[in-house]
């Protein structure tokens, strides 16, 4: 994809995102409203989109096991690299290590990848298996480390019980439930009335612009403290936005032989920014709150600026 074509594809993304930033900066729409828009997208619109599209998908083509295996291997290597680098920098507290692993390896799917893929490719289907892998595997690793490093006696139960509660909560989020419901009904060939699918599609079509607008509002309200960026923040952002997608290209393309559109999908997914729930985890487990907020904002901006490069480089 050429540079002009890449910018043309990204124009709707920039319009929705930039509109949120502009309205927040001018205080026309309060930045606090981003939570309402985000909740709508995360809890309702994106699950509707995922359910309808997974139900109507060819699961054999959707779950490309070579591609998923390549991405899983990439993520495992990235987890090891971030963990080793953290320990080498004298960060040994389990929660602190887990936070940095999440910042460097997990991707913002609902608020960033889904709208970008819908805009660029006309579908977010390639994200579905990666989303399930991220929630069911990567989040499990992060939650395990967080819970094992937690010492708050007020939470009730031992580490095992707290871990079970946290994992259970992550598996019943609307995103995961909608994916699993779509897969199950698809496999069982259960007939879902057209009116239900039409309703899900109608709501799901709003997921992309609303999620990007909410992200723009959030970032426009907080602003960017570029001068206060630490070396650690720079290292994690560089790893997330540059090293991780390059690692995905090398592992998936060279080791697993993934080619064509699937290789482009995996590299672009890896190039997505640090997820917003990093900040939620930081608050919940009382570790690196300021660091997490800064990483979410700055990685989102850098990922958006780098999108034309990745589109021009990897998209056929």
């Amino acid at each position: 994809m050429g540079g002009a074509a890449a910018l043309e594809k990204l124009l709707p993304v920039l319009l929705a995102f930039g509109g949120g930033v502009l309205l927040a900066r001018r205080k026309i729409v309060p930045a606090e409203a981003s939570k309402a828009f985000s909740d709508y997208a995360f809890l309702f619109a994106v699950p509707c989109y995922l359910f309808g599209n997974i139900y109507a998908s060819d699961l054999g083509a959707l779950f490309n096991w070579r591609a998923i295996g390549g991405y899983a291997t990439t993520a495992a290597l990235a987890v090891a690299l971030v963990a080793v680098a953290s320990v080498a920098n004298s960060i040994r507290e389990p929660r602190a290590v887990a936070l940095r692993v999440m910042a460097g390896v997990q991707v913002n799917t609902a608020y960033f990848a889904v709208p970008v893929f819908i805009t660029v490719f006309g579908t977010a289907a390639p994200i579905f298996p990666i989303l399930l892998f991220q929630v069911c595997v990567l989040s499990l690793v992060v939650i395990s480390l967080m819970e094992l490093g937690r010492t708050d006696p007020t939470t009730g139960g031992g580490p095992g019980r707290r871990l079970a509660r946290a994992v259970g909560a992550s598996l019943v989020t609307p995103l995961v439930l909608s994916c699993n419901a779509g897969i199950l009904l698809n496999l069982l060939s259960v007939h879902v009335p057209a009116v239900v699918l039409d309703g899900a599609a109608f709501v799901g079509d709003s997921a992309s612009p609303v999620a990007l607008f909410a992200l723009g509002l959030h970032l426009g309200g907080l602003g960017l403290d570029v001068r206060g960026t630490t070396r650690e923040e720079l290292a994690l952002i560089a790893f997330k936005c540059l090293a991780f997608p390059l690692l995905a290209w090398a592992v998936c393309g060279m080791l697993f032989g993934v080619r064509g559109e699937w290789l482009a999908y995996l590299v672009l997914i890896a190039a997505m920014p640090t997820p917003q729930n990093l900040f939620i985890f930081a608050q919940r487990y009382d570790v690196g709150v300021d660091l997490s907020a800064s990483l979410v904002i700055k990685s989102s901006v850098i990922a958006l600026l780098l999108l034309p490069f990745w589109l021009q480089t990897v998209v056929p």
Side-chain angles (χ1 to χ4, degrees):
M1 182 180 289
L7 290 174
E8 190 175 300
K9 285 283 189 181
L10 284 176
L11 184 60
V13 175
L14 296 173
L15 183 62
F17 176 82
V21 172
L22 180 64
L23 293 178
R25 298 293 290 176
R26 291 183 173 271
K27 302 189 184 303
I28 297 173
V29 177
E32 296 78 15
S34 66
K35 186 179 186 307
F37 286 104
S38 295
D39 285 345
Y40 167 80
F42 182 74
L43 299 174
F44 188 45
V46 172
C48 284
Y49 176 86
L50 293 174
F51 170 76
N53 279 270
I54 291 178
Y55 174 77
S57 295
D58 177 358
L59 294 183
L62 181 60
F63 284 83
N64 183 321
W65 295 110
R66 176 178 292 184
I68 296 171
Y71 189 88
T73 302
T74 302
L77 289 172
V79 168
L81 288 172
V82 175
V84 169
S86 298
V87 173
N89 282 281
S90 302
I91 300 169
R92 293 181 172 82
E93 207 278 326
R95 293 174 301 163
V97 174
L99 188 80
R100 285 154 178 82
V101 166
M102 186 176 185
V105 182
Q106 291 215 26
V107 300
N108 189 331
T109 51
Y111 299 115
F112 211 100
V114 168
V116 167
F117 268 64
I118 293 173
T119 303
V120 174
F121 300 111
T123 178
I127 297 173
F128 304 155
I130 304 303
L131 171 63
L132 291 174
F133 166 75
Q134 178 165 283
V135 172
C136 299
V137 180
L138 291 180
S139 290
L140 179 61
V141 173
V142 172
I143 291 171
S144 299
L145 289 172
M146 290 284 193
E147 287 292 342
L148 292 175
R150 196 173 188 178
T151 57
D152 183 3
T154 64
T155 55
R161 186 174 180 183
R162 295 199 305 269
L163 175 61
R165 285 202 303 264
V167 171
S170 70
L171 295 178
V172 295
T173 60
L175 284 176
V176 178
L177 288 176
S178 63
C179 289
N180 289 334
I183 291 171
L184 182 64
L185 295 178
N186 183 310
L187 291 174
L188 296 177
S189 299
V190 175
H191 174 70
V192 176
V195 65
V196 174
L197 295 177
D198 289 344
F202 177 77
V203 175
D205 286 343
S206 67
S208 174
V210 171
L212 288 168
F213 181 74
L215 185 61
L217 278 179
H218 178 72
L219 298 183
L222 290 180
L224 279 176
D225 181 15
V226 178
R227 293 182 179 179
T229 304
T230 65
R231 288 184 179 181
E232 183 180 30
E233 289 173 13
L234 285 173
L236 284 169
I237 292 169
F239 184 86
K240 179 68 209 69
C241 297
L242 283 172
F244 188 40
L246 288 173
L247 185 64
W249 175 81
V251 172
C252 298
M254 299 174 68
L255 294 182
F256 282 78
V258 180
R259 298 286 186 269
E261 288 186 340
W262 263 106
L263 182 60
Y265 296 153
L266 297 176
V267 172
L268 283 179
I269 290 172
M272 295 296 105
T274 298
Q276 286 177 305
N277 61 357
L278 178 76
F279 182 68
I280 297 173
F281 273 69
Q283 286 186 315
R284 175 176 175 80
Y285 294 101
D286 191 26
V287 56
V289 176
D290 293 337
L291 173 66
S292 64
S294 179
L295 289 173
V296 169
I297 295 171
K298 293 171 184 176
S299 68
S300 296
V301 174
I302 297 301
L304 189 63
L305 293 175
L306 287 175
L307 269 178
F309 165 76
W310 293 118
L311 289 175
Q312 188 174 0
T313 303
V314 302
V315 176

